[in-house]
Structure formats: structure tokens, C-alpha cells
Amino acid sequence: MLTGKQKSYLKGLSHNMQPIIQIGKNGVNEMLVKTIEDALEARELIKISVLQNCLEEPKTMAIDIADVLEAEVVQVIGRTIILYKQSRKKKQIVLPK
């Protein structure tokens, strides 16, 4: 569980990031979850864009994805989801205490 200070720090890091994954009308499926998992392992912090033609709510999708991958939802702003999960192999982000 992330503290408020840690979330603020991660929001700052993600501010200039571009979304690397887009969720479209097909919504969340196994292949997409695998792609997100691989991206989190490689980067630890990712931004996901939910396209207008997606029928699901971004907040609901963010929570579902985070539960499956044991990741943390840093923030959901409009149709943008920011997720964090500490890498098992190469830790890059040092969170404040």
C-alpha cells in the first residue's frame, strides 16, 4: 500500500510520461494484462490511456488490473491510468518513506 507521500512522488515522476498502452473497445483481456505486466516489470511506473470507444469506466479497469497484477493504482485522471509495481529484477524507483 502506498502512502500519500509516495503517491505524490510517483505522480511527479509520471507527469511528463507518455501513455505506453492504450485500451480500446475490446477492454481488458488476458493479452492486455500480460502486456501491462511486462511493461510494469520493465519500467515499474506506467501510464495507460483509455480510448473514448472503451465502454468500461477507467477507475473500475484500473482497480481490476491492479488486483490481478498486485500493482498499485497511483492515480486515475479522466481517461488516463497510472500504475506502479516494484520490479522483481531491476528496481529503478526508490520511494520516499
Side-chain angles (χ1 to χ4, degrees), residues 36-86:
I36 294 170
E37 182 178 32
D38 293 343
L40 281 170
E41 182 60 35
R43 299 176 182 229
E44 293 186 317
L45 184 68
I46 63 168
K47 200 179 258 191
I48 301 169
S49 176
V50 181
L51 301 178
Q52 293 292 333
N53 62 356
C54 184
L55 302 176
E56 297 178 54
E57 283 294 315
K59 284 187 180 186
T60 306
M61 283 192 296
I63 293 168
D64 292 344
I65 293 168
D67 286 346
V68 170
L69 298 178
E70 297 176 3
E72 295 283 344
V73 177
V74 176
Q75 189 174 34
V76 178
I77 304 174
R79 302 189 75 77
T80 303
I81 300 168
I82 302 169
L83 294 177
Y84 169 79
K85 183 177 180 183
Q86 189 174 40

Side-chain angles (χ1 to χ4, degrees), residues 9-43:
Y9 176 73
L10 292 171
K11 287 176 195 177
L13 290 178
S14 70
H15 181 71
N16 293 326
M17 291 174 62
Q18 293 296 318
I20 60 168
I21 296 173
Q22 293 182 334
I23 301 175
K25 66 180 176 184
N26 295 331
V28 179
N29 56 38
E30 272 186 50
M31 190 170 210
L32 181 68
V33 171
K34 177 66 175 141
T35 303
I36 294 170
E37 182 178 32
D38 293 343
L40 281 170
E41 182 60 35
R43 299 176 182 229

